[in-house]
Structure formats: C-alpha cells, structure tokens
C-alpha cells in the first residue's frame, strides 16, 4: 500500500534540544572501549499547535543498555518538525501514519546525520549506526 503524498507540508524544522554528556576522561575512555554496548532509541511524540498544525518531536537517544555500569555517556537530540496537515486528513489512523511513518521517512536521514555529527564531535569519530530504522515496521507494530 503506497502512502498518500502531499497530505502534509513541513513548515519548520529545528533542533529543540541537544545533549552530549561525558563526565570525565575515565568515563570517555571507558565509553570509547564499550561503545558496542550502546544502542539507538527513538521516541516520537506529537501535539496540536493549531487547527491542522502539529509539532512532531523525534527524540534520538544513544545510551548504554548495561544497567550495572556507572561510567556512562549520555547522548540525546530532540528534533522538532512543524507540519501543516492537508484539509482532507480526518482519520486518526491517517494522522498516525503521517506522524510515525511518512514524515519520519522524509526527515530521518537529516536527523541521523546531525546526531552522528554530534557524536563524532563528542569524541567518537568512528561511530556509525549499523541498523537502518524501518518506520513502516514501527508504524505497523504500533497499530497492534
């Protein structure tokens, strides 16, 4: 099933919040050696600003899954996108698809590149995300 195109328009997009925290050199060296324990988490929220205008916040969090470890760095970026919905968008499921899937597919390459630039600038120049995010699959999982 192909997505309806032109059912929303991006009015603005910006980094709402960005954080890269590494407390000291010991933590930095530890994280550099254990970066494979880190994984990318994505959270998407939306709120109506006005009639047919939404703010969608896509949060990327790169964090250590290992709970027993106290030497951790923290990396997070909240990217806000303001969209205007087409007049004919009435169904909640259409709105969900736009916010969780169509819009994310459009903006994610830019968000990922920006977030990786922060991680590289934070002292991890060799870092890359191996797994590509499948927003279609995430959207379908969210429906069940």
């Amino acid at each position: 099933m192909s997505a309806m195109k032109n059912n929303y328009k991006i009015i603005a997009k910006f980094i709402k919040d960005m954080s890269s925290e590494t407390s000291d050199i010991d933590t930095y060296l530890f994280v550099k050696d254990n970066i494979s324990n880190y994984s990318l988490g994505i959270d998407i929220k939306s709120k109506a600003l006005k009639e047919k205008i939404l703010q969608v916040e896509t949060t990327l969090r790169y964090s250590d899954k290992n709970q027993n470890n106290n030497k951790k760095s923290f990396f997070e970026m909240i990217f806000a996108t303001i969209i205007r919905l087409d007049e004919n968008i009435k169904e909640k499921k259409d709105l969900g698809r736009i916010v969780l899937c169509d819009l994310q597919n459009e903006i994610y390459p830019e968000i990922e590149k920006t977030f990786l630039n922060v991680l590289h600038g934070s002292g991890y120049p060799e870092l890359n995300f191996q797994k590509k995010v499948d927003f279609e699959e995430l959207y379908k999982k969210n429906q069940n």
Side-chain angles (χ1 to χ4, degrees):
M1 183 178 106
S2 68
M4 295 184 304
K5 282 295 168 216
N6 301 329
N7 50 11
Y8 68 92
K9 179 176 191 263
I10 295 176
I11 300 171
K13 49 190 179 173
F14 57 94
I15 294 169
K16 182 176 173 191
D17 188 41
M18 175 125 40
S19 183
S20 170
E21 298 169 19
T22 301
S23 59
D24 54 34
I25 184 66
D26 291 340
T27 300
Y28 169 72
L29 293 171
F30 183 84
V31 170
K32 206 163 172 63
D33 288 344
N34 294 279
I35 200 77
S36 61
N37 292 336
Y38 280 63
S39 64
L40 182 65
I42 298 176
D43 187 35
I44 302 165
K45 292 186 177 111
S46 66
K47 66 179 177 189
L49 299 178
K50 291 183 185 156
E51 181 71 21
K52 298 288 180 192
I53 297 185
L54 293 181
Q55 177 168 315
V56 179
E57 292 182 359
T58 306
T59 302
L60 300 188
R61 193 173 291 113
Y62 197 59
S63 55
D64 189 344
K65 300 174 297 247
N66 184 347
Q67 297 303 315
N68 305 328
N69 168 9
N70 57 4
K71 285 189 167 125
K72 293 184 182 190
S73 288
F74 177 78
F75 309 103
E76 182 179 83
M77 180 174 81
I78 301 172
F79 193 87
T81 310
I82 312 301
I83 62 172
R84 177 180 293 119
L85 297 169
D86 192 83
E87 287 306 313
N88 62 23
I89 302 294
K90 306 261 190 277
E91 298 288 320
K92 203 165 171 73
K93 68 177 176 54
D94 293 337
L95 180 61
R97 179 169 183 86
I98 290 167
V99 168
L100 298 172
C101 191
D102 300 346
L103 175 65
Q104 299 305 320
N105 282 328
E106 183 175 343
I107 64 175
Y108 186 75
E110 178 186 346
I111 295 175
E112 182 182 81
K113 184 176 170 217
T114 303
F115 195 49
L116 275 171
N117 283 338
V118 170
L119 293 169
H120 294 165
S122 298
Y124 307 93
E126 62 292 324
L127 188 64
N128 269 307
F129 302 134
Q130 300 309 316
K131 216 166 58 179
K132 286 295 158 220
V133 182
D134 185 344
F135 289 103
E136 188 78 34
E137 193 175 297
L138 287 175
Y139 169 70
K140 284 179 181 154
K141 263 191 219 160
N142 207 37
Q143 295 307 295
N144 298 334

